[in-house]
Each structure stands twice: as structure tokens, then as C-alpha cells.
């Protein structure tokens, strides 16, 4: 009887281990799920990186236009100040 109990226990443990280690077992399934999650996260990171790069480029262009506008306004201010000074 002890030998039968031992054999049943070993068989149960083997079956339990087999469920984890067999092809497409628990470990393979978990690893595949983790790999899919990593792929999804990498795709999300790439997408966000592209969006940030586009936004950065857009903001840099806008900043350049603003600097140009400020320079033109300062030039106009100087011209107007000179014109007003010559009147007075």
C-alpha cells in the first residue's frame, strides 16, 4: 500500500510538472503572453515616440516663425519710433 501511495504521489507530481513543461503548457503559454505584451508595449512606445517627434518638429517650426515675427515687429517699432522722433 505504501508503494502504491508513493507511485500515485509521483504520478501526480509528474502530471503536475508535465502540465507546466509540456509543449504549449502553462509556462509556454505564459511566456507567449508575456512576449505578446512586450511586443504591444514596444509598439506603443514607438507610436508615442513618433508622435513626440512630430510635435517637437511642429513646435520648433512654430517657435522659428514666432522669432521671425518678433524680429519684424521690433524693426517696425524702431521705424515708428524714429518717425515719431522726427515729428517732435
Amino acid at each position: 500500500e505504501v508503494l502504491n501511495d508513493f507511485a500515485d504521489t509521483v504520478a501526480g507530481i509528474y502530471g503536475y510538472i508535465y502540465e507546466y513543461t509540456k509543449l504549449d503548457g502553462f509556462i509556454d503559454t505564459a511566456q507567449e503572453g508575456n512576449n505578446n505584451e512586450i511586443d504591444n508595449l514596444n509598439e506603443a512606445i514607438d507610436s508615442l515616440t513618433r508622435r513626440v517627434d512630430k510635435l517637437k518638429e511642429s513646435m520648433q517650426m512654430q517657435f522659428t516663425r514666432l522669432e521671425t515675427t518678433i524680429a519684424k515687429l521690433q524693426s517696425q517699432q524702431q521705424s515708428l519710433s524714429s518717425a515719431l522722433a522726427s515729428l517732435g
Side-chain angles (χ1 to χ4, degrees), residues 2-13:
V2 172
L3 188 56
N4 284 337
D5 287 344
F6 177 75
D8 288 344
T9 301
V10 169
I13 291 171

Side-chain angles (χ1 to χ4, degrees), residues 19-57:
E19 287 301 316
Y20 280 90
T21 59
K22 71 179 181 176
L23 182 63
D24 292 331
F26 296 140
I27 292 174
D28 287 342
T29 302
Q31 186 174 11
E32 183 178 335
N34 289 339
N35 288 338
N36 288 338
E37 185 66 22
I38 289 169
D39 290 342
N40 290 338
L41 289 171
N42 284 333
E43 288 175 15
I45 289 168
D46 291 343
S47 176
L48 287 172
T49 300
R50 286 189 300 273
R51 287 175 56 192
V52 166
D53 289 344
K54 286 180 183 179
L55 181 60
K56 178 183 173 185
E57 182 180 341

